Amino acid sequence: MTFSNSADLVARALRFGEPNATLTSKHSLKGMLFVVVNLLLAIQSAGANDLSKASLAGCNQAQYQTVISKEILNANDARAYWLSSDTIRWPGKETSGHFYLYASDSGTLNIRNGAKVTGASQHILLQVGTGIRASQADIQTRFAFIGKGAEFRYTLPTVTLHQLLKQQLVLVQENDQSEVIDFTYIQTPGVLDDLYLAAITVNDLGVKVNQSSSENTAYKTKLAAYSEFKLWAPTARRLSVCIYNSGESKAYTIKTMKFDSVTGIWEARTDQDLSGRYYKYLLDVFVPGTGWVRNAVTDPYSISLTTDSKRSYIANLERAALKPAGWDQHEITKRVQHATDMSVYELHVRDFSANDPTVRSDYRGKYLAFTERQSNGMKHLAALSKAGITDIHLLPVFDFATIPEVNCSTPEVSGEPDSEQQQAIVTKNAATDCFNWGYDPLHYNAPEGSYATNAADGATRILEFRKMIMALHQANLRVGMDVVYNHTAYAGQHEKSVLDRIVPGYYQRLSANGKVEESTCQTCGNTATENNMMAKLMSDSVRLWAREYKIDSFRFDLMGHQPRHVMEKLKASLASDNGRPIFLIGEGWNFGEVANNTRFVQATQLSLNGSGIGTFSDRARDAIRGASRDDDINSIVNNKGYINGLADGTTPQQVEQTLRAADMIRVGLAGTLSDFEMETAQGQHQKLKDINYNGQPAGYASEPDEVVNYVENHDNQTLFDINAFRLPVTTSHEDRARVQVLGLAFTAFSQGIAYFHAGSDILRSKSLDGNSYNSGDWFNRLDWTYQDNYFGTGLPPKQDNQALYPLMHPLLLNANIKPRPQDIAFTRDSFRDLLKIRSSSSLFHLTRSSEIKQRLHFYNTGSTQNPKVIVGFLDGDHLADANWKSVAYLINVSQTEQQVQIHELQHHRFQLHPVHLSPDAADQRIYNEAKFSAQGGFIIPARSAVVFVAED
């Protein structure tokens, strides 16, 4: 008798839930269910064996997936939701007819409209629900976004549910003749979270290794060696772990894993210390739309891998062999006590050294480049650290999908300043070269292998990553990570889709039709951190990086796609784990399928009040440089910002826009605080939350640690490049450098967290590239010799830039735009002066909103202001580390010297900040031309940022 026939026999003997199912006097309902369930379990076990046993051959097969039994059902959607262990909802569905849950352990369901269902092993009648129970309020809230529809209830033993979820399951609507009216697959995250809630308390998913030499000091005994594997895969029917001696050898053993029905976790243990070896999981799981498959897949909790992420690495991160000398003893700099103390320099690992000839060739583009203390790049970082940069934020350094980890190419590129030749070479090699930003996660817990000197050895990337961190800490720099938990590189059954091949349909966020959402990346799959185990994976991952690699802060890509409560819980866990605050910042943009808190309260700008989690603010950014996202050939020139032409306008409309921009810049300088009050250009005294910004409140933060100020980061054009579009082509070399410094000054003087893009201090250009994520080394170079900024090195890749080529051609050819070495040096040194000023007084990074409201005042405001000059005053009376009784900063964006009279400040004895008075000050015009008079008059040189201080 075959399995399917046995299952059909059982289904015919008893249809679960049917009101006319009969019971004999010898059996209670409970007893009958027990008998049937056990029979089903036995049949399922026999069926699994019939399918073909997992073996060493399966471990060593070349293909990553074998289709064991192809699905015959023509169903392309999942429109119903399994909310909990006893409730299913079909949104938009009327309750006419009869509703059944059909199951097939063999995956042979045959369902067509107008016909009867065949191929089922179970057939469960669902009763239409009658109202919402109080105990389900949280579930109803979670799934409120799906809308109303037919809701069904049922009562089944938990063990039956466990088995159902390991089968092909389809929800069917039938008429009185048992003919199909409609049918759909079901989205299962709700029921999986309900059934396996205990899994969130398991803290050792992945691999755990114990050495035989470990001594139990309390009992003076040796602990036995073991290696333990745990994987959450509640819908898998069978799971084994393949063990390999190396990243290339054949598996020498396979261990069958056992299923824990309480947690949904499969576990295997061997009485050996397997450190240094590799593993993969082999699991049988049903995939809607495909059928029964056997997937060979790496561990989502991998701590390291072999080349190109083919196999997971077995190790204990606490072992001395995986730590640089002095790792456990070395101290993290304590220069940052509050988030607002942070001045961040955002840097890409490969950009840092790929173009630096002072780094040994084997280290260029690698983690170990940061250990070369005498390289040009490390000297640059050391100088920034001394001036006031506190944190290096690394673009993604976890394992990502796009760079070949061995034999990646470094193509030879050349061409004229406006040639298409460079981009053609770069584009041709984009899939095989050594460059990508890395926003395409593959394994969240493992260091990226292309940055290691030996990607084949799982230990190397761990050790070298730690050496990098240690080297930066020794340079008095903290280290932050850019993390991307909002999507994975691939979803579904793609070879590089890890999560979906283990628990299909769970880890990725699904649309109303059951398709993977892609709002955060056109070809990537959004993750669903509203689901317990995806939230756990994110939290476990971040906590691992902080604990095992001493990461000091995290920058979350598209953080608005994460629930606020998950982020807050993570923040608290990090502080508890590490005995110090680990600061969290991220992109709080509000868009996509989760927009406006549709599915949950998001971690967005307007939703994080009181959380202590920072979001990037676009208010001042767009005012300073001009809005630029998705600019076309006209707007990229005409959307001028405060520093690159708007303030020079003379028409009534231009003056009005300038006044508006000046107000938005003051919003940024005040930390974007919702309750900060200032006088607007209309002469009104308003709180920032009452000022309109594109239909939103201009001020949204409750505390300054909830805002990140910036004028340039890795996204979009660099500040130099956007200025190349917007400044008149006749603008001098000197003024282009000064305009760059103005943009950096606004960030340096703003309350909140200061964030700077690597190279913004040396006029970095990407030859006008608006999206250089895959533009190769050529368009992403940095020159630590300060001789070139790489403007005019060819037209950037067509994919994101071709529409602007007519504008780009003449700009790239214009020698008056490309800076000279002296212009680069001026910007570099001016930026360091700004950092010194910011770090010289706690007034520039106040920690509480109450202090900012008390101590920060803007002058030269209202309808009679000079809109070309921003004037800020900071009261340092009785403030620790203020260093002066008061500070005034004035930023003049005009092409000419400006004079402003501030009567309220006439009794202060202001003098230039000591940085300006230094003979090494970059802008000597300030020393020679900036003045303050006892009557409150200030004279500010053209295009300059000037700070005055008073000791009484």
mmCIF file with all atom_site columns, all heavy atoms in Angstrom, residues 615-635:
data_model
loop_
_atom_site.group_PDB
_atom_site.id
_atom_site.type_symbol
_atom_site.label_atom_id
_atom_site.label_alt_id
_atom_site.label_comp_id
_atom_site.label_asym_id
_atom_site.label_entity_id
_atom_site.label_seq_id
_atom_site.pdbx_PDB_ins_code
_atom_site.Cartn_x
_atom_site.Cartn_y
_atom_site.Cartn_z
_atom_site.occupancy
_atom_site.B_iso_or_equiv
_atom_site.pdbx_formal_charge
_atom_site.auth_seq_id
_atom_site.auth_comp_id
_atom_site.auth_asym_id
_atom_site.auth_atom_id
_atom_site.pdbx_PDB_model_num
ATOM 1   N N   . THR A 1 615 ? 17.113 59.067 13.253  1.00 0.00 ? 615 THR A N   1
ATOM 2   C CA  . THR A 1 615 ? 16.803 58.934 11.828  1.00 0.00 ? 615 THR A CA  1
ATOM 3   C C   . THR A 1 615 ? 17.457 60.075 11.057  1.00 0.00 ? 615 THR A C   1
ATOM 4   O O   . THR A 1 615 ? 17.622 61.187 11.556  1.00 0.00 ? 615 THR A O   1
ATOM 5   C CB  . THR A 1 615 ? 15.283 58.975 11.568  1.00 0.00 ? 615 THR A CB  1
ATOM 6   O OG1 . THR A 1 615 ? 14.743 60.212 12.041  1.00 0.00 ? 615 THR A OG1 1
ATOM 7   C CG2 . THR A 1 615 ? 14.590 57.809 12.240  1.00 0.00 ? 615 THR A CG2 1
ATOM 8   N N   . PHE A 1 616 ? 17.829 59.790 9.830   1.00 0.00 ? 616 PHE A N   1
ATOM 9   C CA  . PHE A 1 616 ? 18.405 60.804 8.951   1.00 0.00 ? 616 PHE A CA  1
ATOM 10  C C   . PHE A 1 616 ? 17.331 61.832 8.603   1.00 0.00 ? 616 PHE A C   1
ATOM 11  O O   . PHE A 1 616 ? 16.208 61.470 8.260   1.00 0.00 ? 616 PHE A O   1
ATOM 12  C CB  . PHE A 1 616 ? 18.949 60.164 7.682   1.00 0.00 ? 616 PHE A CB  1
ATOM 13  C CG  . PHE A 1 616 ? 20.214 59.371 7.907   1.00 0.00 ? 616 PHE A CG  1
ATOM 14  C CD1 . PHE A 1 616 ? 20.158 58.074 8.389   1.00 0.00 ? 616 PHE A CD1 1
ATOM 15  C CD2 . PHE A 1 616 ? 21.454 59.928 7.635   1.00 0.00 ? 616 PHE A CD2 1
ATOM 16  C CE1 . PHE A 1 616 ? 21.315 57.341 8.603   1.00 0.00 ? 616 PHE A CE1 1
ATOM 17  C CE2 . PHE A 1 616 ? 22.617 59.213 7.847   1.00 0.00 ? 616 PHE A CE2 1
ATOM 18  C CZ  . PHE A 1 616 ? 22.556 57.914 8.334   1.00 0.00 ? 616 PHE A CZ  1
ATOM 19  N N   . SER A 1 617 ? 17.702 63.093 8.679   1.00 0.00 ? 617 SER A N   1
ATOM 20  C CA  . SER A 1 617 ? 16.743 64.166 8.397   1.00 0.00 ? 617 SER A CA  1
ATOM 21  C C   . SER A 1 617 ? 16.992 64.746 7.013   1.00 0.00 ? 617 SER A C   1
ATOM 22  O O   . SER A 1 617 ? 18.120 65.141 6.679   1.00 0.00 ? 617 SER A O   1
ATOM 23  C CB  . SER A 1 617 ? 16.845 65.271 9.440   1.00 0.00 ? 617 SER A CB  1
ATOM 24  O OG  . SER A 1 617 ? 15.989 66.341 9.089   1.00 0.00 ? 617 SER A OG  1
ATOM 25  N N   . ASP A 1 618 ? 15.939 64.810 6.225   1.00 0.00 ? 618 ASP A N   1
ATOM 26  C CA  . ASP A 1 618 ? 16.026 65.396 4.894   1.00 0.00 ? 618 ASP A CA  1
ATOM 27  C C   . ASP A 1 618 ? 15.654 66.875 4.891   1.00 0.00 ? 618 ASP A C   1
ATOM 28  O O   . ASP A 1 618 ? 15.765 67.532 3.852   1.00 0.00 ? 618 ASP A O   1
ATOM 29  C CB  . ASP A 1 618 ? 15.122 64.637 3.927   1.00 0.00 ? 618 ASP A CB  1
ATOM 30  C CG  . ASP A 1 618 ? 13.719 64.403 4.488   1.00 0.00 ? 618 ASP A CG  1
ATOM 31  O OD1 . ASP A 1 618 ? 13.486 64.667 5.680   1.00 0.00 ? 618 ASP A OD1 1
ATOM 32  O OD2 . ASP A 1 618 ? 12.845 63.927 3.725   1.00 0.00 ? 618 ASP A OD2 1
ATOM 33  N N   . ARG A 1 619 ? 15.230 67.415 6.032   1.00 0.00 ? 619 ARG A N   1
ATOM 34  C CA  . ARG A 1 619 ? 14.761 68.797 6.073   1.00 0.00 ? 619 ARG A CA  1
ATOM 35  C C   . ARG A 1 619 ? 15.866 69.766 5.661   1.00 0.00 ? 619 ARG A C   1
ATOM 36  O O   . ARG A 1 619 ? 15.757 70.483 4.664   1.00 0.00 ? 619 ARG A O   1
ATOM 37  C CB  . ARG A 1 619 ? 14.264 69.156 7.473   1.00 0.00 ? 619 ARG A CB  1
ATOM 38  C CG  . ARG A 1 619 ? 12.833 68.776 7.794   1.00 0.00 ? 619 ARG A CG  1
ATOM 39  C CD  . ARG A 1 619 ? 12.516 67.313 7.688   1.00 0.00 ? 619 ARG A CD  1
ATOM 40  N NE  . ARG A 1 619 ? 11.201 67.005 8.267   1.00 0.00 ? 619 ARG A NE  1
ATOM 41  C CZ  . ARG A 1 619 ? 10.569 65.882 8.100   1.00 0.00 ? 619 ARG A CZ  1
ATOM 42  N NH1 . ARG A 1 619 ? 11.099 64.919 7.365   1.00 0.00 ? 619 ARG A NH1 1
ATOM 43  N NH2 . ARG A 1 619 ? 9.382  65.688 8.652   1.00 0.00 ? 619 ARG A NH2 1
ATOM 44  N N   . ALA A 1 620 ? 16.944 69.779 6.436   1.00 0.00 ? 620 ALA A N   1
ATOM 45  C CA  . ALA A 1 620 ? 18.044 70.684 6.121   1.00 0.00 ? 620 ALA A CA  1
ATOM 46  C C   . ALA A 1 620 ? 18.832 70.204 4.910   1.00 0.00 ? 620 ALA A C   1
ATOM 47  O O   . ALA A 1 620 ? 19.316 71.013 4.113   1.00 0.00 ? 620 ALA A O   1
ATOM 48  C CB  . ALA A 1 620 ? 18.959 70.825 7.337   1.00 0.00 ? 620 ALA A CB  1
ATOM 49  N N   . ARG A 1 621 ? 18.971 68.901 4.776   1.00 0.00 ? 621 ARG A N   1
ATOM 50  C CA  . ARG A 1 621 ? 19.742 68.355 3.640   1.00 0.00 ? 621 ARG A CA  1
ATOM 51  C C   . ARG A 1 621 ? 19.259 68.916 2.315   1.00 0.00 ? 621 ARG A C   1
ATOM 52  O O   . ARG A 1 621 ? 20.041 69.419 1.500   1.00 0.00 ? 621 ARG A O   1
ATOM 53  C CB  . ARG A 1 621 ? 19.633 66.835 3.627   1.00 0.00 ? 621 ARG A CB  1
ATOM 54  C CG  . ARG A 1 621 ? 20.373 66.156 2.482   1.00 0.00 ? 621 ARG A CG  1
ATOM 55  C CD  . ARG A 1 621 ? 19.793 64.777 2.193   1.00 0.00 ? 621 ARG A CD  1
ATOM 56  N NE  . ARG A 1 621 ? 18.436 64.858 1.643   1.00 0.00 ? 621 ARG A NE  1
ATOM 57  C CZ  . ARG A 1 621 ? 17.647 63.819 1.441   1.00 0.00 ? 621 ARG A CZ  1
ATOM 58  N NH1 . ARG A 1 621 ? 18.066 62.606 1.772   1.00 0.00 ? 621 ARG A NH1 1
ATOM 59  N NH2 . ARG A 1 621 ? 16.434 63.977 0.922   1.00 0.00 ? 621 ARG A NH2 1
ATOM 60  N N   . ASP A 1 622 ? 17.941 68.823 2.076   1.00 0.00 ? 622 ASP A N   1
ATOM 61  C CA  . ASP A 1 622 ? 17.400 69.287 0.803   1.00 0.00 ? 622 ASP A CA  1
ATOM 62  C C   . ASP A 1 622 ? 17.484 70.800 0.675   1.00 0.00 ? 622 ASP A C   1
ATOM 63  O O   . ASP A 1 622 ? 17.670 71.320 -0.435  1.00 0.00 ? 622 ASP A O   1
ATOM 64  C CB  . ASP A 1 622 ? 15.953 68.837 0.655   1.00 0.00 ? 622 ASP A CB  1
ATOM 65  C CG  . ASP A 1 622 ? 15.831 67.345 0.364   1.00 0.00 ? 622 ASP A CG  1
ATOM 66  O OD1 . ASP A 1 622 ? 16.871 66.704 0.144   1.00 0.00 ? 622 ASP A OD1 1
ATOM 67  O OD2 . ASP A 1 622 ? 14.695 66.828 0.376   1.00 0.00 ? 622 ASP A OD2 1
ATOM 68  N N   . ALA A 1 623 ? 17.350 71.501 1.788   1.00 0.00 ? 623 ALA A N   1
ATOM 69  C CA  . ALA A 1 623 ? 17.452 72.956 1.738   1.00 0.00 ? 623 ALA A CA  1
ATOM 70  C C   . ALA A 1 623 ? 18.878 73.387 1.406   1.00 0.00 ? 623 ALA A C   1
ATOM 71  O O   . ALA A 1 623 ? 19.092 74.353 0.662   1.00 0.00 ? 623 ALA A O   1
ATOM 72  C CB  . ALA A 1 623 ? 17.014 73.557 3.065   1.00 0.00 ? 623 ALA A CB  1
ATOM 73  N N   . ILE A 1 624 ? 19.848 72.691 1.939   1.00 0.00 ? 624 ILE A N   1
ATOM 74  C CA  . ILE A 1 624 ? 21.250 73.067 1.736   1.00 0.00 ? 624 ILE A CA  1
ATOM 75  C C   . ILE A 1 624 ? 21.695 72.802 0.305   1.00 0.00 ? 624 ILE A C   1
ATOM 76  O O   . ILE A 1 624 ? 22.218 73.688 -0.383  1.00 0.00 ? 624 ILE A O   1
ATOM 77  C CB  . ILE A 1 624 ? 22.161 72.302 2.713   1.00 0.00 ? 624 ILE A CB  1
ATOM 78  C CG1 . ILE A 1 624 ? 21.888 72.731 4.149   1.00 0.00 ? 624 ILE A CG1 1
ATOM 79  C CG2 . ILE A 1 624 ? 23.635 72.528 2.376   1.00 0.00 ? 624 ILE A CG2 1
ATOM 80  C CD1 . ILE A 1 624 ? 22.481 71.805 5.199   1.00 0.00 ? 624 ILE A CD1 1
ATOM 81  N N   . ARG A 1 625 ? 21.506 71.611 -0.185  1.00 0.00 ? 625 ARG A N   1
ATOM 82  C CA  . ARG A 1 625 ? 22.029 71.221 -1.496  1.00 0.00 ? 625 ARG A CA  1
ATOM 83  C C   . ARG A 1 625 ? 20.986 71.290 -2.604  1.00 0.00 ? 625 ARG A C   1
ATOM 84  O O   . ARG A 1 625 ? 21.326 71.257 -3.795  1.00 0.00 ? 625 ARG A O   1
ATOM 85  C CB  . ARG A 1 625 ? 22.635 69.826 -1.444  1.00 0.00 ? 625 ARG A CB  1
ATOM 86  C CG  . ARG A 1 625 ? 21.696 68.733 -0.998  1.00 0.00 ? 625 ARG A CG  1
ATOM 87  C CD  . ARG A 1 625 ? 22.404 67.372 -0.914  1.00 0.00 ? 625 ARG A CD  1
ATOM 88  N NE  . ARG A 1 625 ? 22.600 66.757 -2.210  1.00 0.00 ? 625 ARG A NE  1
ATOM 89  C CZ  . ARG A 1 625 ? 23.552 65.880 -2.499  1.00 0.00 ? 625 ARG A CZ  1
ATOM 90  N NH1 . ARG A 1 625 ? 24.424 65.540 -1.573  1.00 0.00 ? 625 ARG A NH1 1
ATOM 91  N NH2 . ARG A 1 625 ? 23.652 65.348 -3.696  1.00 0.00 ? 625 ARG A NH2 1
ATOM 92  N N   . GLY A 1 626 ? 19.706 71.394 -2.218  1.00 0.00 ? 626 GLY A N   1
ATOM 93  C CA  . GLY A 1 626 ? 18.629 71.359 -3.183  1.00 0.00 ? 626 GLY A CA  1
ATOM 94  C C   . GLY A 1 626 ? 18.126 69.944 -3.338  1.00 0.00 ? 626 GLY A C   1
ATOM 95  O O   . GLY A 1 626 ? 18.911 68.991 -3.350  1.00 0.00 ? 626 GLY A O   1
ATOM 96  N N   . ALA A 1 627 ? 16.814 69.789 -3.401  1.00 0.00 ? 627 ALA A N   1
ATOM 97  C CA  . ALA A 1 627 ? 16.244 68.454 -3.565  1.00 0.00 ? 627 ALA A CA  1
ATOM 98  C C   . ALA A 1 627 ? 16.752 67.858 -4.864  1.00 0.00 ? 627 ALA A C   1
ATOM 99  O O   . ALA A 1 627 ? 16.788 68.528 -5.892  1.00 0.00 ? 627 ALA A O   1
ATOM 100 C CB  . ALA A 1 627 ? 14.722 68.536 -3.564  1.00 0.00 ? 627 ALA A CB  1
ATOM 101 N N   . SER A 1 628 ? 17.159 66.570 -4.829  1.00 0.00 ? 628 SER A N   1
ATOM 102 C CA  . SER A 1 628 ? 17.783 66.002 -6.029  1.00 0.00 ? 628 SER A CA  1
ATOM 103 C C   . SER A 1 628 ? 17.316 64.603 -6.371  1.00 0.00 ? 628 SER A C   1
ATOM 104 O O   . SER A 1 628 ? 17.670 64.094 -7.430  1.00 0.00 ? 628 SER A O   1
ATOM 105 C CB  . SER A 1 628 ? 19.306 65.982 -5.861  1.00 0.00 ? 628 SER A CB  1
ATOM 106 O OG  . SER A 1 628 ? 19.685 65.194 -4.751  1.00 0.00 ? 628 SER A OG  1
ATOM 107 N N   . ARG A 1 629 ? 16.571 63.974 -5.508  1.00 0.00 ? 629 ARG A N   1
ATOM 108 C CA  . ARG A 1 629 ? 16.176 62.595 -5.798  1.00 0.00 ? 629 ARG A CA  1
ATOM 109 C C   . ARG A 1 629 ? 15.282 62.560 -7.041  1.00 0.00 ? 629 ARG A C   1
ATOM 110 O O   . ARG A 1 629 ? 14.300 63.285 -7.153  1.00 0.00 ? 629 ARG A O   1
ATOM 111 C CB  . ARG A 1 629 ? 15.437 62.002 -4.595  1.00 0.00 ? 629 ARG A CB  1
ATOM 112 C CG  . ARG A 1 629 ? 15.089 60.532 -4.783  1.00 0.00 ? 629 ARG A CG  1
ATOM 113 C CD  . ARG A 1 629 ? 14.520 59.934 -3.517  1.00 0.00 ? 629 ARG A CD  1
ATOM 114 N NE  . ARG A 1 629 ? 14.110 58.562 -3.700  1.00 0.00 ? 629 ARG A NE  1
ATOM 115 C CZ  . ARG A 1 629 ? 14.924 57.522 -3.642  1.00 0.00 ? 629 ARG A CZ  1
ATOM 116 N NH1 . ARG A 1 629 ? 16.199 57.705 -3.386  1.00 0.00 ? 629 ARG A NH1 1
ATOM 117 N NH2 . ARG A 1 629 ? 14.485 56.298 -3.832  1.00 0.00 ? 629 ARG A NH2 1
ATOM 118 N N   . ASP A 1 630 ? 15.641 61.727 -7.980  1.00 0.00 ? 630 ASP A N   1
ATOM 119 C CA  . ASP A 1 630 ? 14.878 61.537 -9.224  1.00 0.00 ? 630 ASP A CA  1
ATOM 120 C C   . ASP A 1 630 ? 14.785 62.810 -10.067 1.00 0.00 ? 630 ASP A C   1
ATOM 121 O O   . ASP A 1 630 ? 13.825 63.015 -10.804 1.00 0.00 ? 630 ASP A O   1
ATOM 122 C CB  . ASP A 1 630 ? 13.460 61.022 -8.918  1.00 0.00 ? 630 ASP A CB  1
ATOM 123 C CG  . ASP A 1 630 ? 13.471 59.688 -8.198  1.00 0.00 ? 630 ASP A CG  1
ATOM 124 O OD1 . ASP A 1 630 ? 14.347 58.869 -8.504  1.00 0.00 ? 630 ASP A OD1 1
ATOM 125 O OD2 . ASP A 1 630 ? 12.604 59.471 -7.325  1.00 0.00 ? 630 ASP A OD2 1
ATOM 126 N N   . ASP A 1 631 ? 15.809 63.661 -9.962  1.00 0.00 ? 631 ASP A N   1
ATOM 127 C CA  . ASP A 1 631 ? 15.831 64.860 -10.800 1.00 0.00 ? 631 ASP A CA  1
ATOM 128 C C   . ASP A 1 631 ? 15.920 64.494 -12.272 1.00 0.00 ? 631 ASP A C   1
ATOM 129 O O   . ASP A 1 631 ? 16.627 63.546 -12.654 1.00 0.00 ? 631 ASP A O   1
ATOM 130 C CB  . ASP A 1 631 ? 17.034 65.734 -10.436 1.00 0.00 ? 631 ASP A CB  1
ATOM 131 C CG  . ASP A 1 631 ? 16.739 66.691 -9.297  1.00 0.00 ? 631 ASP A CG  1
ATOM 132 O OD1 . ASP A 1 631 ? 15.567 67.078 -9.149  1.00 0.00 ? 631 ASP A OD1 1
ATOM 133 O OD2 . ASP A 1 631 ? 17.674 67.050 -8.569  1.00 0.00 ? 631 ASP A OD2 1
ATOM 134 N N   . ASP A 1 632 ? 15.226 65.276 -13.109 1.00 0.00 ? 632 ASP A N   1
ATOM 135 C CA  . ASP A 1 632 ? 15.369 65.105 -14.548 1.00 0.00 ? 632 ASP A CA  1
ATOM 136 C C   . ASP A 1 632 ? 16.355 66.134 -15.079 1.00 0.00 ? 632 ASP A C   1
ATOM 137 O O   . ASP A 1 632 ? 16.995 66.858 -14.308 1.00 0.00 ? 632 ASP A O   1
ATOM 138 C CB  . ASP A 1 632 ? 14.015 65.200 -15.252 1.00 0.00 ? 632 ASP A CB  1
ATOM 139 C CG  . ASP A 1 632 ? 13.332 66.549 -15.039 1.00 0.00 ? 632 ASP A CG  1
ATOM 140 O OD1 . ASP A 1 632 ? 14.020 67.550 -14.724 1.00 0.00 ? 632 ASP A OD1 1
ATOM 141 O OD2 . ASP A 1 632 ? 12.094 66.603 -15.190 1.00 0.00 ? 632 ASP A OD2 1
ATOM 142 N N   . ILE A 1 633 ? 16.457 66.226 -16.378 1.00 0.00 ? 633 ILE A N   1
ATOM 143 C CA  . ILE A 1 633 ? 17.494 67.064 -16.981 1.00 0.00 ? 633 ILE A CA  1
ATOM 144 C C   . ILE A 1 633 ? 17.294 68.548 -16.684 1.00 0.00 ? 633 ILE A C   1
ATOM 145 O O   . ILE A 1 633 ? 18.234 69.341 -16.732 1.00 0.00 ? 633 ILE A O   1
ATOM 146 C CB  . ILE A 1 633 ? 17.557 66.795 -18.507 1.00 0.00 ? 633 ILE A CB  1
ATOM 147 C CG1 . ILE A 1 633 ? 18.904 67.262 -19.073 1.00 0.00 ? 633 ILE A CG1 1
ATOM 148 C CG2 . ILE A 1 633 ? 16.353 67.434 -19.216 1.00 0.00 ? 633 ILE A CG2 1
ATOM 149 C CD1 . ILE A 1 633 ? 19.186 66.728 -20.463 1.00 0.00 ? 633 ILE A CD1 1
ATOM 150 N N   . ASN A 1 634 ? 16.082 68.951 -16.348 1.00 0.00 ? 634 ASN A N   1
ATOM 151 C CA  . ASN A 1 634 ? 15.836 70.352 -16.003 1.00 0.00 ? 634 ASN A CA  1
ATOM 152 C C   . ASN A 1 634 ? 15.972 70.602 -14.511 1.00 0.00 ? 634 ASN A C   1
ATOM 153 O O   . ASN A 1 634 ? 16.654 71.535 -14.087 1.00 0.00 ? 634 ASN A O   1
ATOM 154 C CB  . ASN A 1 634 ? 14.436 70.770 -16.483 1.00 0.00 ? 634 ASN A CB  1
ATOM 155 C CG  . ASN A 1 634 ? 14.314 70.750 -17.992 1.00 0.00 ? 634 ASN A CG  1
ATOM 156 O OD1 . ASN A 1 634 ? 15.174 71.271 -18.696 1.00 0.00 ? 634 ASN A OD1 1
ATOM 157 N ND2 . ASN A 1 634 ? 13.247 70.147 -18.488 1.00 0.00 ? 634 ASN A ND2 1
ATOM 158 N N   . SER A 1 635 ? 15.341 69.755 -13.711 1.00 0.00 ? 635 SER A N   1
ATOM 159 C CA  . SER A 1 635 ? 15.321 70.006 -12.275 1.00 0.00 ? 635 SER A CA  1
ATOM 160 C C   . SER A 1 635 ? 16.682 69.823 -11.626 1.00 0.00 ? 635 SER A C   1
ATOM 161 O O   . SER A 1 635 ? 16.971 70.445 -10.607 1.00 0.00 ? 635 SER A O   1
ATOM 162 C CB  . SER A 1 635 ? 14.291 69.104 -11.590 1.00 0.00 ? 635 SER A CB  1
ATOM 163 O OG  . SER A 1 635 ? 14.585 67.735 -11.801 1.00 0.00 ? 635 SER A OG  1
#
